Every structure is written in structure tokens, then in C-alpha cells.
């Protein structure tokens, strides 16, 4: 249900339940979390692409495959969300390698949040994003009320969440939800080009940059500046930073090794 391969330093993670529009099961979720954790720890993985097969990127959560917990008691739903959807989104946000979403089709509910948690988002022209929760009488979960206001502002976020309308890829790009829209047939090619560029970069510097940007949305200027200085102090101990400085002085193209 989840395909995985590593090629040229890129970990390709592909949801593979096209008959269910890649609605994510409990088993898939755990597999995704594990693969993202593995990518962080593997020095040979220097970028990640998250995509799917078929017409859908991810139609949301498929709770039919969840382990049975018996009779529900107070607090069960909150615990399920913390241990499920929120863990998945956190795994993307905390992955120490840059993560690209290659959105090949409909991304709805937690599927939309899975894409939007990624560092860069490529969307096929046929893709669309749906905050489907309101259609089911539900509150957005899986980090939606955290992610969307930070991407497009509170008013736009409320519009998407209050109405639950499908947002076509072109409109998603205009709003700032995605980085680029490409023809359907060029999605994988473009994702590969972007991922391989990232994989050839200074991996630890990218990881620290990701941490700084994500943390900056929740902190004050003094804290952000302190974290920036500390990150650069850490980064300057890496071989890639030394290579970058040396290549500048020597007027040559740097060769980064992710170390």
C-alpha cells in the first residue's frame, strides 16, 4: 500500500491504493511515519518526495482499517487524533530532509494537510485541494487550523474551512498553497529535478534552515535571531559548510556530500 525506493539520494514514498483514492489507512500512516523517520537518520537520503498513484493524492483518512478499541469513552477521539493524524503531520514537519509533495490528484482532508505540511508542493494541473471536514460536520484536524493560516492568512483559511469548496491547482497556486503547477505528464519529472537539486545540496544546512523557518512562525524576533546564530554555529562544523566556503574562495563549483 506504500511503495518506497531510493534513487540518487532521493527517498520516493508513494501511496498506492488508487482504488480508494489513496485514503490513508492505519497501516499506511504508520509506514509513512517510519519511512520519514528513516529518511532523517539515513545519511544517504538527502531529499524526500511524497506522491501517489492513480487519480487521487490522498482522499483523507480511511478509518475502516483502524484497530478496534471497543466502546468509546471520553477522550478517545482526542487521543486518536494526537496519536494518528497529528503524528503523521509532525513526521513531515520534523523530517530532517527536505520533503517535496508531488500532488497528482485530489488532496482532501488529512490528505490536503499531508501535502501542505511538506516543504515544497508541486501540483499537477488536475490536482485539487479540499477542506472536506465541514461537509461531514467535523472540525478540521491533522494540523489544518495550524497550517493553513500560516500559509494563506486567517481569512482565507476560514473561507476554505467554512465552505469546504474544492480548490483547483491553479487557484491553490494563486493563494500560495503550492509552489508550482505543472502539466500532469510532467509532475514526476519536475519532482525528480527538484529533489535531485536538493539532494546535491548541503543537507545539514537545509535541515537547519527548515527548522529555523518552521520555528519562526511561532516565536518572537529575539528568539528567532538567537536560533539563527546558533544554527549557523552548528552548521559551520559540517564538511559541507567548509566545502562551500573553500569553493567560493577557490572560485569553483562546490561538491556537497551531506556531511
Amino acid at each position: 500500500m506504500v511503495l518506497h525506493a531510493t534513487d540518487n539520494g532521493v527517498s520516493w514514498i508513494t501511496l498506492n491504493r488508487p482504488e480508494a483514492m489513496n485514503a490513508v489507512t492505519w497501516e499506511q500512516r504508520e509506514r509513512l511515519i517510519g519511512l520519514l523517520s528513516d529518511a532523517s537518520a539515513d545519511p544517504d537520503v538527502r531529499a524526500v518526495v511524497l506522491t501517489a498513484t492513480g487519480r487521487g493524492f490522498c482522499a483523507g483518512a480511511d478509518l475502516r482499517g483502524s484497530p478496534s478499541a471497543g466502546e468509546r469513552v471520553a477522550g478517545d477521539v482526542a487521543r486518536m487524533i494526537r496519536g494518528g493524524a497529528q503524528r503523521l503531520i509532525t513526521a513531515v514537519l520534523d523530517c530532517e530532509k527536505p520533503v517535496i509533495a508531488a500532488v497528482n490528484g485530489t488532496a482532501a482532508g488529512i490528505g490536503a494537510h499531508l501535502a501542505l505540511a511538506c516543504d515544497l508542493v508541486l501540483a499537477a494541473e488536475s490536482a485539487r485541494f479540499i477542506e472536506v471536514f465541514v461537509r461531514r460536520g467535523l472540525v478540521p484536524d491533522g494540523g489544518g487550523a495550524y497550517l493553513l493560516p500560516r500559509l494563506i492568512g486567517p481569512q482565507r483559511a476560514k473561507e476554505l474551512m467554512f465552505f469546504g469548496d474544492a480548490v483547483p491547482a491553479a487557484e491553490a497556486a494563486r493563494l500560495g498553497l503550492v509552489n508550482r503547477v505543472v502539466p500532469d505528464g510532467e509532475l514526476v519529472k519536475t519532482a525528480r529535478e527538484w529533489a535531485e537539486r536538493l539532494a546535491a545540496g548541503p543537507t545539514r544546512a537545509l535541515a537547519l534552515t527548515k527548522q529555523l523557518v518552521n520555528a519562526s512562525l511561532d516565536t518572537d524576533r529575539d528568539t528567532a535571531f538567537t536560533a539563527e546564530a546558533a544554527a549557523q554555529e552548528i552548521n559551520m562544523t559540517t564538511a559541507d559548510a567548509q566545502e562551500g566556503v573553500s569553493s567560493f574562495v577557490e572560485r569553483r563549483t562546490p561538491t556537497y556530500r551531506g556531511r
Side-chain angles (χ1 to χ4, degrees):
M1 294 189 295
V2 177
L3 305 178
H4 179 245
T6 300
D7 182 33
N8 283 343
V10 180
S11 174
W12 288 81
I13 303 173
T14 306
L15 293 171
N16 188 38
R17 291 183 72 221
E19 72 283 357
M21 296 285 284
N22 293 302
V24 67
T25 66
W26 180 87
E27 292 90 348
Q28 281 178 302
R29 183 194 73 211
E30 295 305 306
R31 177 66 170 150
L32 289 172
I33 291 171
L35 287 171
L36 289 163
S37 177
D38 291 346
S40 288
D42 188 346
D44 293 327
V45 171
R46 299 173 64 187
V48 177
V49 175
L50 183 58
T51 190
T53 59
R55 298 183 298 109
F57 175 76
C58 178
D62 186 348
L63 299 179
R64 291 172 296 183
S66 300
S68 176
E71 184 179 356
R72 180 179 294 169
V73 299
D76 278 353
V77 173
R79 282 186 287 271
M80 177 184 69
I81 292 170
R82 287 195 298 268
Q86 290 178 355
R87 277 180 61 239
L88 176 57
I89 298 306
T90 297
V92 178
L93 293 171
D94 289 350
C95 182
E96 295 178 28
K97 309 298 166 64
V99 183
I100 298 173
V103 183
N104 54 296
T106 298
I110 186 64
H113 302 163
L114 181 61
L116 300 179
C118 293
D119 303 301
L120 300 170
V121 183
L122 292 169
E125 288 178 340
S126 63
R128 57 184 189 155
F129 299 80
I130 312 173
E131 284 297 318
V132 75
F133 298 93
V134 70
R135 299 186 186 182
R136 311 289 182 257
L138 300 173
V139 172
D141 62 36
Y146 175 86
L147 293 167
L148 262 73
R150 286 163 170 76
L151 290 169
I152 60 175
Q155 278 73 27
R156 290 289 192 184
K158 291 172 190 173
E159 180 182 342
L160 299 188
M161 292 179 172
F162 286 1
F163 293 116
D165 293 334
V167 179
E171 175 68 5
R174 188 186 70 80
L175 289 173
L177 290 172
V178 306
N179 293 86
R180 186 176 300 179
V181 178
V182 298
D184 288 22
E186 296 182 13
L187 180 66
V188 173
K189 173 177 175 290
T190 306
R192 185 177 300 278
E193 290 172 352
W194 281 29
E196 290 184 354
R197 284 184 64 187
L198 291 170
T203 307
R204 294 308 302 164
L206 292 176
L208 290 164
T209 301
K210 173 175 179 172
Q211 292 174 15
L212 287 173
V213 173
N214 287 351
S216 74
L217 300 172
D218 300 310
T219 193
D220 59 87
R221 185 188 66 188
D222 286 346
T223 302
F225 277 23
T226 299
E228 176 188 277
Q232 193 69 289
E233 176 78 20
I234 294 168
N235 185 63
M236 287 304 296
T237 66
T238 67
D240 279 350
Q242 296 169 33
E243 165 66 6
V245 173
S246 296
S247 66
F248 174 76
V249 172
E250 297 165 9
R251 298 185 179 183
R252 57 176 175 81
T253 301
T255 300
Y256 296 120
R257 304 187 184 282
R259 301 293 197 276

